[in-house]
Amino acid sequence: MSCCWTEGVPGPCGLNYKRLLIPFKIPKSMKVHMDAFCSDLSLMSAPADLPPGVQTLDLSRNQVQNLTRETLAYHTGFRHLNLRANKIHFIQPGLFKDMTELKVLDLSRNHLNVFALSKINVGPLTAVKSLDLSSNGLYTGMSDYFLAESPSLESLSLNGNSITKIAQSTFSGSTSLRKIGLHNNVILEIEDGAFDSLNRLTELDLSKNSITCITDFNLCDLKVLNLSKNSVELFQSVTSADYYNLLSLDLSENKMSYFPLLPRNNRLEYLDLSRNRLQSVNVTGSPEKRVFFYQLRYLDMSYNQLQSIPESFFHCMGSLEVLNVSNNCIRSFSVANEVLLRAVRVINLSYNPLQSLTFEENTLPSLEELYLRGNDFATLDHGIFQRLPSITHLQLQQNNLQICSADQDRQDPPGCVAFSSVPSLRYLDLSENNLRTVPADAFAGSPLTLLDLSLNPGLDMDKDSLAGLERSLVRLLLRQNNISSLSTDLSSLMSLKHVDLSTNQLTALPLWNKDSSIESLNLRHNHLVTLEYSTMLALERSLKTLYMGSNPLSCCSNLDFLHMVQNSTVVVPDIKTVTCVHEEHSEPVNIEKVTREMCRSRSGVRNVAVAVVVTVSVVLIALALLVKCCHSRKPKRNRSFNA
C-alpha cells in the first residue's frame, strides 16, 4: 500500500501543473507544492518518507488514534490537513503551534470528546480559516477547547454532536467567524449575546435541534439563518429601526401557530414557513408598525392549517415570485387588485378544499405556473385561464372538471372550463378528473407540448379532439383510461414524440404513417394480439423506445414485428417480461426466444394434416360418385307374377 503523491511546479501565466511524483532535479529557485493522498489505507500515521514541501495531506478514513508530531511525520508546512473518519482521541498539546500556514483542518468523525475531557486547548490555530469538528460526540462546553485560540477562523462545523447549550463565551476566541454549522445537535438554549461578538457572521445553521423560541432576534448582519426541524413556537425580533441584512430564513418543520414577527426594515428574499401550525397570517396593525417585505421573492407556507389568505396580505410583497400555500385548509383564493402580485411566476394551491378561485382581468401578468392539484374542483369560471397572459404550466390533476368545446354553438356541460385559445400554455395535466368527453378542437389555439389525460376511465375522445396541436404536441399521456379503440387521429400530430397508451383495452394500434416522429411508445397492459406490421414499419424509422409487456401477443402472427424488435435499434426496456402465446407451449414464450422455425414446423404439421383431410375427402367423394354411377347402370329385374 502506498500514497499517491502529486506535485505542482509553477508554470507560465501562474498555472500549476500536477503530475505523479517522479525523481527529477528541480532548480533551487523554483518552489514546489505537493499533495499527498493517503486515504483508505488503514494507516496509523502518515508515511515516514513523506516528501518535504507537502502542503495537502489527506489521511481520511484510516486508523489514526493519536495525533502527534510523529503521526504527521514531523511536517509543519501543511495548508490543508484532512483527518476525517479516523479514531483520534488524543491530540498532542501545541501540535499546531508551528503550523503557521495551516488554513483548512478537518477533524470530523473522530472521538474528540475523549480528548476534550482533558480540558486542554488544542490551539493555537493561528491561521486556520476552516475547521470541521462534526460528529465527534462533543457536548456542551467541549467545543471551547478547540475554538479558544482561533483568531482567523471563518468557517466552523459542529454538526452532528450532542451540544445542548450555546454559552455566551463559546465563540469568544473565534471572533472572525462568518459561517457556523450547528445542525443536528440537541440545542435547547442559546444564552443572550452568544453571537453578539461575531460582527462578521453571515450564515448560521441551527437546524435539527430542540430550540423552542427565538426572542429579541438582533443579528443585523446575518444573511442566512436556518432554524428548520426544531420545536420553535415563537420567532420575534427586537423592535428597532435598524436595517437587517437577513436574506434567507428557514423556519420549516417547527410548531409555530403565528406568523413570525420579523424586523420592519428587512431585505428578506427567501422565507420558508412550511410544515408548521399556522392558522392565519397577520395583516392587522397600523401602517407605521406593519412589516414590509419589499424584496421577498420566495414564500412557502405549505403544510399548515391556513383557512384563508386575505388579498391585503400581499400589499407589501411587490417582488414576490414564488408562492406555495399547498396542503392547507384554504376554501377561497382571489386576486382582484391589478397592483398586487405582478411579479409572481409560480402559485401552488394544490391540496386545499378550494371552492372558489378568482383571477380578475389584468391581474397576475407574470404568472407562468399554476398548481391546482387535488382540490376536487367541479366548476371553474369558463374563461379563467384565458385571463393569464403568461401561463405555461397548468396542473389540474385530481379534480372533477369538464372540458368546454371551442365551438360556441355546441351545448357544453354546465361549469365546464375552456382550454382553447390560451396562446402561452405549454403543459396541461388533466389526469384523474373523471373526464367523460374531450370535444373537437378542445385545445385549438393553445400550443401544448405536453397533454396528460390519463386516469379518466371511460374517456370518449372526439376524432378531432387534438385538432390544432399538429405542430406543437410532443408528449401525449392516455394511460389507464379503459380505451378499447382510439378514434382520434394521431398520425396528423407531426411533432409527437412520446405516447403513453399503457393500461387500456386496446386490441389494435392507432394508425401512423411513414412521416411519424414517435420516439417512445408505451403499450403495456393492453389486449393486443396481433400488431399491424405496416404500422410498426411506419414507426420504425423514428422509434427508439417501445414498452410491450403484459399483452396476449400471438407468437406466429407477429413474426415480422418480432423480427423487427430482435434486429432493429429499437430498445424494449421491459423485453424480459414481454411474452407471446404459442400453441405448442403451455406457458407464454418470451419474444426473444421466438424463431421462424418454431412457426414453420407448426405450419408444416398443420398443412400436412389439412392435405390428408382434403385427400381423404376427395377419395370418399369419388367413391361415392362411382357407386352412384354403377347403381344407375344396373338392369332392372322383372317383378311380375302369373296367376
Side-chain angles (χ1 to χ4, degrees), residues 137-156:
L138 302 175
Y139 51 84
T140 302
M142 285 187 168
S143 62
D144 297 10
Y145 304 116
F146 299 89
L147 305 177
E149 300 172 277
S150 308
S152 301
L153 193 60
E154 296 180 355
S155 177
L156 169 66

Side-chain angles (χ1 to χ4, degrees), residues 173-394:
S174 309
T175 55
S176 297
L177 278 168
R178 297 177 182 271
K179 178 180 179 180
I180 300 176
L182 286 160
H183 167 79
N184 194 20
N185 277 272
V186 204
I187 298 172
L188 293 162
E189 181 184 356
I190 301 175
E191 283 189 357
D192 289 343
F195 301 104
D196 286 357
S197 63
L198 307 179
N199 297 324
R200 299 181 183 180
L201 186 64
T202 59
E203 187 171 342
L204 178 58
D205 186 353
L206 288 164
S207 61
K208 202 173 183 181
N209 279 283
S210 302
I211 301 169
T212 57
C213 67
I214 298 291
T215 57
D216 298 329
F217 174 71
N218 64 346
L219 301 178
C220 294
D221 295 317
L222 197 65
K223 292 184 178 181
V224 178
L225 175 58
N226 189 345
L227 282 162
S228 64
K229 298 181 180 178
N230 277 275
S231 299
V232 177
E233 297 179 7
L234 175 69
F235 184 97
Q236 183 174 331
S237 59
V238 296
T239 303
S240 170
D242 293 338
Y243 282 87
Y244 283 72
N245 291 318
L246 193 63
L247 300 176
S248 174
L249 174 59
D250 191 343
L251 284 163
S252 62
E253 297 190 53
N254 279 285
K255 298 179 180 179
M256 298 180 61
S257 298
Y258 303 99
F259 200 83
L261 182 58
L262 297 166
R264 174 177 171 80
N265 297 317
N266 66 77
R267 297 175 52 199
L268 204 60
E269 295 182 0
Y270 177 101
L271 178 58
D272 192 343
L273 298 170
S274 63
R275 299 182 185 276
N276 275 275
R277 300 174 181 176
L278 298 179
Q279 296 182 9
S280 64
V281 290
N282 184 18
V283 293
T284 60
S286 58
E288 62 273 9
K289 292 184 178 180
R290 184 176 293 183
V291 177
F292 295 97
F293 299 98
Y294 291 121
Q295 299 186 48
L296 189 65
R297 300 173 61 185
Y298 179 97
L299 175 60
D300 190 344
M301 297 190 293
S302 61
Y303 292 93
N304 277 282
Q305 301 167 21
L306 295 171
Q307 304 288 326
S308 64
I309 302 181
E311 198 171 9
S312 55
F313 176 68
F314 301 111
H315 272 291
C316 57
M317 300 183 186
S319 300
L320 191 64
E321 295 181 7
V322 178
L323 172 63
N324 187 353
V325 288
S326 63
N327 293 275
N328 276 280
C329 308
I330 301 169
R331 295 184 177 277
S332 176
F333 188 86
S334 65
V335 182
N337 193 324
E338 298 179 15
V339 178
L340 301 180
L341 300 176
R342 295 195 63 81
V344 73
R345 296 183 297 103
V346 180
I347 295 179
N348 192 342
L349 284 159
S350 298
Y351 297 110
N352 279 283
L354 275 174
Q355 296 177 351
S356 173
L357 181 67
T358 307
F359 303 138
E360 297 294 342
E361 290 282 356
N362 302 317
T363 61
L364 304 175
S366 304
L367 185 63
E368 298 174 1
E369 301 178 24
L370 178 59
Y371 298 90
L372 296 168
R373 179 176 182 174
N375 275 287
D376 204 27
F377 276 122
T379 61
L380 278 175
D381 182 8
H382 174 278
I384 187 172
F385 302 123
Q386 281 80 0
R387 291 196 286 273
L388 303 174
S390 302
I391 192 72
T392 59
H393 289 65
L394 193 49

Side-chain angles (χ1 to χ4, degrees), residues 58 62 92 95 198 207 215 224 320 364 431 442 492 508 529 575 621:
D58 185 352
N62 279 290
Q92 184 176 353
L95 174 66
L198 307 179
S207 61
T215 57
V224 178
L320 191 64
L364 304 175
S431 59
S492 62
V529 176
I575 196 166
I621 291 171

